[in-house]
Amino acid sequence: MHVSKRAPAASPHRPAAVDRVTLYALIATGLAIGIERAIRLWNRVASITGPGPHRAPVTPRNLETVVQLGSGGGTQAEITTGTLKVAELSGPETGLLITQEVVTFLAIATIIVCLTLLARNTIRGTVFHRSNTALLTGAGLAAAAGYGAWTFFGQMASNEIISRLSVARPAVYGTSGDFMPYFLGLFAFGIVTVAYAVGARLQRETEGLV
Amino acid sequence: MTAPSNYRPAKADRIALVALMLLGAGIVVSSAVSFVSTTAAILGQGPHTVTANFFDLAGKLPLGPGGAEVSAGVVTATVNIPELVAPATGLLIAEAAVQFLAITTVIVCLVLLGQRALRGVFFGRGNTALIVTTGFAAIFGYMLPPILRQMGTTEALLDLSEGDFFNFMLALNPVQLFIAVFVFGIIATAYTVGSRVQRETEGLI
């Protein structure tokens, strides 16, 4: 029988019924998330490329203004995120906003596909395998890329809009960069992936003993 | 508790695990410093800078040519509050504490998981429990602090506006929760299945 490294053969140690049901339910959840994200992507792209006015998110820096709190006097505030209503989006703004949506969707879809394949392998009793380690690594990298793309392209689009409206006033350009989620993600996925990689090696080495 | 196996990970894996554990320790230290400094700032003398979320609060932003004002919806802004009322103080400290506790729980669980892997223990009920705890801590740590912050800033802004501005909104995207459940569910179930397979095959080796 041909056994591919990419598609591990079914193991005699299939999970218990309760685990299989849990995994099928999680796969269904993943599918539902994928469909919801695809519909959202479609709507967002249609809205971005459609006729104006458009509501565009902006993340400025050092932008102080007075905000009105209730009917009383206003208070000084530094705006960190806002929504601007613009008559139309320029070419670069449209491109950046669509890229932000598409790359983020692709990242989420990659995570869902990788973990669905991991669940399928687990259902078949193949818990440790090189392909599982690769799938987990793929999911982790996709998560990092998706988070990075969302903040990077969003910030680029925001800067473009601010630049166009203010006729290039770089003092209020934003720079986004909270690296803590990266470190946390790297740590969590790193530990789990190393455990998988070591487990796969352990299984390969002990297979001859069984 | 699962007994340590005779297997020891390869040198490269041990180095990777130790490096990740050091990274984890660094994250905990950084979170602790952030928690202490945030708490000290909240309890200290005013004015206090709080970050508030608004539901597209109508405002004028000086983003036009030469600083001309344009209409905008304010989503988040940092506001200086001269004096924080007690409920706001408590809620903002609770936000920082929950965040710190969640990060620490996640790191400690994963460090223990890494430590067990270094001893050759990859599966076992203990490992599954650690993964499940990590998942719950991550989900609570992600979902709860924004709610506490919103409650705290609502109190602070209500006091600042002398009871005239009640700004409470919760922007919670359930899809993010489902994604977290999906990711941790699949990994935790894989660990559960692995434990069972290991128990079943132990007698064969």
Side-chain angles (χ1 to χ4, degrees):
Chain A
M1 190 179 76
H2 172 72
V3 179
S4 159
K5 279 181 181 173
R6 286 185 177 277
S11 154
H13 308 292
R14 291 193 74 202
V18 62
D19 294 325
R20 289 205 302 273
V21 170
T22 306
L23 286 168
Y24 280 124
L26 287 166
I27 289 172
T29 307
L31 188 66
I33 293 169
I35 292 170
E36 190 275 341
R37 290 288 99 178
I39 293 170
R40 185 190 175 279
L41 173 70
W42 181 267
N43 288 338
R44 274 293 291 154
V45 172
S47 158
I48 292 165
T49 53
H54 301 274
R55 289 168 58 78
V58 287
T59 44
R61 182 172 65 96
N62 295 337
L63 186 70
E64 296 237 338
T65 190
V66 173
V67 290
Q68 201 72 24
L69 300 180
S71 55
T75 188
Q76 194 74 14
E78 185 184 331
I79 310 303
T80 41
T81 318
T83 314
L84 288 179
K85 199 182 251 189
V86 289
E88 57 185 30
L89 292 167
S90 70
E93 290 158 16
T94 306
L96 286 164
L97 287 171
I98 290 177
T99 308
Q100 180 195 31
E101 296 291 342
V102 170
V103 175
T104 307
F105 171 75
L106 288 177
I108 292 175
T110 306
I111 294 169
I112 290 171
V113 169
C114 285
L115 292 182
T116 300
L117 291 174
L118 184 70
R120 186 204 62 174
N121 289 349
T122 308
I123 288 170
R124 299 173 72 192
T126 309
V127 185
F128 281 149
H129 193 271
R130 275 193 188 127
S131 63
N132 284 11
T133 311
L135 288 169
L136 207 56
T137 309
L141 290 176
Y147 175 76
W150 178 260
T151 47
F152 177 75
F153 289 111
Q155 189 62 62
M156 293 270 284
S158 163
N159 288 353
E160 278 290 330
I161 294 166
I162 291 174
S163 169
R164 178 168 60 90
L165 289 180
S166 63
V167 195
R169 191 155 59 95
V172 293
Y173 283 3
T175 47
S176 50
D178 180 8
F179 292 106
M180 190 53 106
Y182 270 115
F183 288 133
L184 271 173
L186 173 68
F187 176 72
F189 269 97
I191 292 269
V192 175
T193 307
V194 171
Y196 261 80
V198 174
R201 193 172 304 143
L202 172 67
Q203 188 170 303
R204 282 198 302 280
E205 287 174 8
T206 53
E207 262 167 2
L209 301 174
V210 179
Chain B
M1 187 179 157
T2 312
S5 81
N6 292 326
Y7 182 82
R8 289 290 176 273
K11 197 174 177 186
D13 294 324
R14 288 205 304 271
I15 291 172
L17 281 169
V18 171
L20 285 166
M21 286 155 92
L22 288 175
L23 174 65
I27 295 171
V28 170
V29 170
S30 150
S31 302
V33 170
S34 164
F35 169 60
V36 170
S37 59
T38 305
T39 306
I42 293 168
L43 292 174
Q45 292 288 319
H48 304 275
T49 304
V50 297
T51 302
N53 291 324
F54 300 99
F55 188 70
D56 255 0
L57 178 69
K60 299 273 185 195
L61 300 188
L63 280 177
E69 290 190 325
V70 293
S71 294
V74 176
V75 179
T76 59
T78 53
V79 181
N80 283 333
I81 310 277
E83 201 70 36
L84 283 175
V85 286
T89 305
L91 287 161
L92 292 174
I93 291 176
E95 179 214 352
V98 169
Q99 207 161 29
F100 171 65
L101 284 177
I103 289 176
T104 306
T105 306
V106 167
I107 302 287
V108 167
C109 285
L110 290 176
V111 164
L112 289 176
L113 198 69
Q115 197 185 35
R116 289 165 75 99
L118 277 177
R119 293 165 60 207
V121 181
F122 306 101
F123 283 138
R125 290 204 179 102
N127 286 21
T128 309
L130 287 171
I131 285 283
V132 172
T133 310
T134 302
F136 275 112
I139 289 169
F140 278 107
Y142 181 72
M143 296 286 170
L144 204 51
I147 297 173
L148 292 168
R149 186 177 66 190
Q150 190 61 41
M151 289 167 74
T153 53
T154 299
E155 288 290 343
L157 293 179
L158 196 63
D159 180 58
L160 185 70
S161 64
E162 295 172 351
D164 197 34
F165 183 71
F166 184 76
N167 166 62
F168 189 79
M169 56 154 286
L170 275 181
L172 214 57
N173 187 350
V175 173
Q176 292 167 350
L177 180 66
F178 287 130
I179 291 175
V181 169
F182 174 68
V183 171
F184 277 103
I186 286 192
I187 292 174
T189 312
Y191 265 82
T192 311
V193 174
S195 310
R196 194 167 300 145
V197 172
Q198 187 173 301
R199 281 201 300 279
E200 285 170 6
T201 54
E202 261 168 2
L204 300 174
I205 298 178

